[in-house]
Amino acid sequence: MPSLDITSKVDLQTLDNALNVAKKEIDNRFDFKGTHVSFELNKKDMVINIEVESDMKLKQLEDVLLTKSMRQGIDAKSFNLTKKAEASGKYVRKAIPVKNGIDKEDAKKIVKLIKDSGLKVQAAILDDIIRVTGKKIDDLQAVMTLCRNATLDVALQFVNMKS
């Protein structure tokens, strides 16, 4: 039986490359000359720590980071930008967690979406991936289209398609 896995993973090397490209652009931008700008990736916790002088520069830095990440192939939904920035001293700090894996609530929403579609497939939650099996590859491709067109808060990748 054909099957595929739905997952939400961010490649660490690609993310690191995107951060390096963003750092190069920030170094060359005129509006950031002579200001304190620091951001690094905590690879263990998958968190990007940002430290800048003002709120406006924080928004610009987030925009540059998202733009460069999207050019590297990382979906913007992979970053949790809802966390508020903390002001301490003369710097503004913000930690941006990178979503890696599908949490249980989102997995349940995706499985419900697949089951409500009426397609003849079975969806099962396996840790942080969703395995979808069906009798025809066309059904699996319909599931991929359904998940891409749905408004979900998770960046999805479709991997390990077997026939």
Side-chain angles (χ1 to χ4, degrees), residues 12 60 76 96 157-158:
L12 195 60
Q60 290 175 340
I96 301 176
Q157 290 92 31
F158 303 96

PDB file of all heavy atoms in Angstrom, residues 12 60 76 96 157-158:
ATOM      1  N   LEU A  12      18.815  22.053  10.139  1.00  0.00           N
ATOM      2  CA  LEU A  12      19.672  22.911  10.956  1.00  0.00           C
ATOM      3  C   LEU A  12      20.721  23.629  10.113  1.00  0.00           C
ATOM      4  O   LEU A  12      20.995  24.813  10.329  1.00  0.00           O
ATOM      5  CB  LEU A  12      20.339  22.072  12.052  1.00  0.00           C
ATOM      6  CG  LEU A  12      20.983  22.818  13.190  1.00  0.00           C
ATOM      7  CD1 LEU A  12      19.974  23.669  13.919  1.00  0.00           C
ATOM      8  CD2 LEU A  12      21.624  21.851  14.151  1.00  0.00           C
ATOM      9  N   GLN A  60      12.902  45.281  11.893  1.00  0.00           N
ATOM     10  CA  GLN A  60      13.670  45.194  10.647  1.00  0.00           C
ATOM     11  C   GLN A  60      14.500  43.918  10.612  1.00  0.00           C
ATOM     12  O   GLN A  60      14.602  43.262   9.567  1.00  0.00           O
ATOM     13  CB  GLN A  60      14.583  46.413  10.502  1.00  0.00           C
ATOM     14  CG  GLN A  60      13.853  47.694  10.226  1.00  0.00           C
ATOM     15  CD  GLN A  60      14.785  48.891  10.219  1.00  0.00           C
ATOM     16  OE1 GLN A  60      15.894  48.831  10.761  1.00  0.00           O
ATOM     17  NE2 GLN A  60      14.335  49.975   9.610  1.00  0.00           N
ATOM     18  N   ALA A  76       8.012  30.487   6.545  1.00  0.00           N
ATOM     19  CA  ALA A  76       7.902  31.510   7.593  1.00  0.00           C
ATOM     20  C   ALA A  76       7.122  31.000   8.800  1.00  0.00           C
ATOM     21  O   ALA A  76       7.289  31.502   9.913  1.00  0.00           O
ATOM     22  CB  ALA A  76       7.238  32.760   7.033  1.00  0.00           C
ATOM     23  N   ILE A  96      13.387  33.797  19.533  1.00  0.00           N
ATOM     24  CA  ILE A  96      12.454  33.282  18.532  1.00  0.00           C
ATOM     25  C   ILE A  96      12.611  31.762  18.458  1.00  0.00           C
ATOM     26  O   ILE A  96      13.606  31.268  17.923  1.00  0.00           O
ATOM     27  CB  ILE A  96      12.713  33.903  17.146  1.00  0.00           C
ATOM     28  CG1 ILE A  96      12.574  35.417  17.217  1.00  0.00           C
ATOM     29  CG2 ILE A  96      11.769  33.322  16.109  1.00  0.00           C
ATOM     30  CD1 ILE A  96      12.911  36.120  15.934  1.00  0.00           C
ATOM     31  N   GLN A 157       6.067  19.382   5.457  1.00  0.00           N
ATOM     32  CA  GLN A 157       6.836  18.741   4.398  1.00  0.00           C
ATOM     33  C   GLN A 157       6.274  17.338   4.213  1.00  0.00           C
ATOM     34  O   GLN A 157       5.874  16.687   5.183  1.00  0.00           O
ATOM     35  CB  GLN A 157       8.323  18.647   4.751  1.00  0.00           C
ATOM     36  CG  GLN A 157       9.060  19.966   4.764  1.00  0.00           C
ATOM     37  CD  GLN A 157       9.068  20.609   6.112  1.00  0.00           C
ATOM     38  OE1 GLN A 157       9.054  19.948   7.135  1.00  0.00           O
ATOM     39  NE2 GLN A 157       9.098  21.927   6.137  1.00  0.00           N
ATOM     40  N   PHE A 158       6.289  16.886   2.982  1.00  0.00           N
ATOM     41  CA  PHE A 158       5.790  15.549   2.653  1.00  0.00           C
ATOM     42  C   PHE A 158       6.994  14.713   2.242  1.00  0.00           C
ATOM     43  O   PHE A 158       7.616  14.981   1.224  1.00  0.00           O
ATOM     44  CB  PHE A 158       4.757  15.639   1.542  1.00  0.00           C
ATOM     45  CG  PHE A 158       3.611  16.550   1.879  1.00  0.00           C
ATOM     46  CD1 PHE A 158       3.616  17.858   1.444  1.00  0.00           C
ATOM     47  CD2 PHE A 158       2.565  16.113   2.659  1.00  0.00           C
ATOM     48  CE1 PHE A 158       2.582  18.723   1.773  1.00  0.00           C
ATOM     49  CE2 PHE A 158       1.535  16.962   2.998  1.00  0.00           C
ATOM     50  CZ  PHE A 158       1.537  18.260   2.554  1.00  0.00           C
TER      51      PHE A 158
END
